[in-house]
Amino acid sequence: MSDLPPAPVPGWLRRTEAEQRWPAALVIAIAIVIHLVLPADLAPRPRWLLPGLEGAALLVIVVVNPLRINRETRVLRPLALGLVALLTVVTAWSVWLLVRALFEKHQSELPPAHLLLWGAAIWLTNVIVFALWFWEIDRGGPAARADADTPHPDLLFTQMQVPDLAPHDWEPGFFDYLYVAFTNATAFSPTDTMPMTVRAKLLMLAESVVSLVTVLLVVARAVNVIGG
């Protein structure tokens, strides 16, 4: 028999300390601010309604579970997913309004700086929204990951594939999912993190479509205006 000690269980496969709430709360607040400062013709109407609902849902989530996500109730989990769904609807709506404005308005009504600035705002919101989706669905969400309830990941990170090159207590946090969303929105495909489930693949597909439409249409129209 071998006298070698058993290999330590990686952090993402065992019960660990609950993740902090503030990173996700911060980016949700940023998304709300972006929706509030969008031009009136690019924001869903009434423009205060959806940011107000988002802010109310965020407040409830933070009050119920302010510091670490160590528990999820039957109400809290649907509320968190509902908040992300609401942000998704607002983002998709804003993209549609932007696309419609690009085709309906005269070039002089949409200066390049305006197009690039607000196209970038919508693109950034798209990254934030899908970072929240990845964070909420991977292995059942942050509370379930802390309890190690589900060993099969929706997203396969590099540290999971090569555990010898990562600290033994490593597990994905919110900023890991933010990085995945950012790289997927810029490359229009997975980079170093692979989707393992159908829902993860569909989310990556949806994010890439929104990003592609926003980047191609806004940049093409802005270049056309500058060249003309």
Side-chain angles (χ1 to χ4, degrees), residues 24-110:
L26 176 62
V27 299
I28 293 174
I30 292 173
I32 293 173
V33 170
I34 291 174
H35 293 153
L36 287 173
V37 301
L38 280 175
D41 57 344
L42 301 181
R45 300 176 184 175
R47 63 177 305 158
W48 57 265
L49 179 59
L50 290 176
L53 292 174
E54 295 163 1
L58 175 60
L59 180 62
V60 171
I61 293 174
V62 171
V63 168
V64 172
N65 211 345
L67 298 178
R68 291 189 177 272
I69 310 171
N70 51 16
R71 59 190 176 86
E72 284 188 322
T73 65
R74 292 182 178 179
V75 175
L76 186 60
R77 177 69 175 165
L79 184 60
L81 293 175
L83 172 61
V84 181
L86 188 59
L87 284 165
T88 306
V89 170
V90 176
T91 303
W93 197 350
S94 297
V95 171
W96 162 247
L97 291 175
L98 177 59
V99 171
R100 189 177 67 178
L102 287 173
F103 284 98
E104 290 182 354
K105 293 192 175 183
H106 191 267
Q107 290 185 358
S108 61
E109 298 180 68
L110 292 172

Side-chain angles (χ1 to χ4, degrees), residues 1 4 11 30 33 36 44 55 64 70 82 98 106 117 119 128 150 168 171-172 177 179 201 214 219 227:
M1 297 180 63
L4 293 176
I30 292 173
V33 170
L36 287 173
V64 172
N70 51 16
L98 177 59
H106 191 267
L117 179 62
I128 292 173
T150 305
H168 75 279
E171 59 181 333
Y177 297 102
Y179 172 79
K201 293 176 182 179
T214 303
V219 171

